[in-house]
Amino acid sequence: MSDKFFFKGRQDARQSHIKYGYETQAKPRNGSKKYPLMLVVTSEARKLEVAAQVAAAELYAEIELDTREGAVESIGALTVQLSKQAAVKVEKLPARNDVCSCGSGKKFKKCCG
């Protein structure tokens, strides 16, 4: 018989979004309250200096003081966060019939366009 009259279930299986690689969970943002930066410094003065950098960048960090002999400072996560560049914002060019931005009062197409 024809399957027009009898429902046998869904003919096309729904495709899973997982096999295509879509991220369903947000990635953790380092330097936030939930995921603070883990930093290690070797002196109290350096700890204050790094804390000032963290506060200026509006980040959150847990700074540990390690005063042992031969201790190594670990602030790589902070330097990565500070070296990120901001998004580039491009100003929109005026349309042909808008007033020119140079201040002449003419239309853009007859002045600078």
Side-chain angles (χ1 to χ4, degrees):
M1 289 197 111
S2 172
D3 58 299
K4 289 183 180 179
F5 302 110
F6 300 102
F7 180 71
K8 296 181 182 178
R10 183 178 294 265
Q11 296 296 322
D12 55 332
R14 290 188 180 185
Q15 296 181 3
S16 175
H17 64 281
I18 296 172
K19 66 181 175 184
Y20 293 110
Y22 295 118
E23 294 286 335
T24 57
Q25 300 291 325
K27 292 183 181 178
R29 183 176 168 263
N30 292 335
S32 63
K33 281 185 180 181
K34 191 172 182 180
Y35 300 101
L37 299 172
M38 300 295 187
L39 308 175
V40 178
V41 293
T42 56
S43 67
E44 189 65 39
R46 183 71 174 142
K47 183 177 181 178
L48 295 173
E49 182 181 330
V50 170
Q53 288 179 347
V54 168
E58 297 177 356
L59 297 171
Y60 295 92
E62 292 181 9
I63 304 171
E64 293 182 21
L65 183 61
D66 190 6
T67 57
R68 294 180 299 176
E69 186 71 29
V72 178
E73 188 171 270
S74 173
I75 60 166
L78 178 63
T79 56
V80 168
Q81 290 292 330
L82 294 178
S83 66
K84 284 186 178 178
Q85 294 190 3
V88 177
K89 294 183 180 179
V90 179
E91 292 185 25
K92 183 180 172 187
L93 286 175
R96 294 185 61 216
N97 291 323
D98 290 345
V99 178
C100 190
S101 60
C102 70
S104 65
K106 296 181 181 180
K107 289 183 179 181
F108 179 75
K109 66 180 179 183
K110 293 196 175 191
C111 183
C112 296

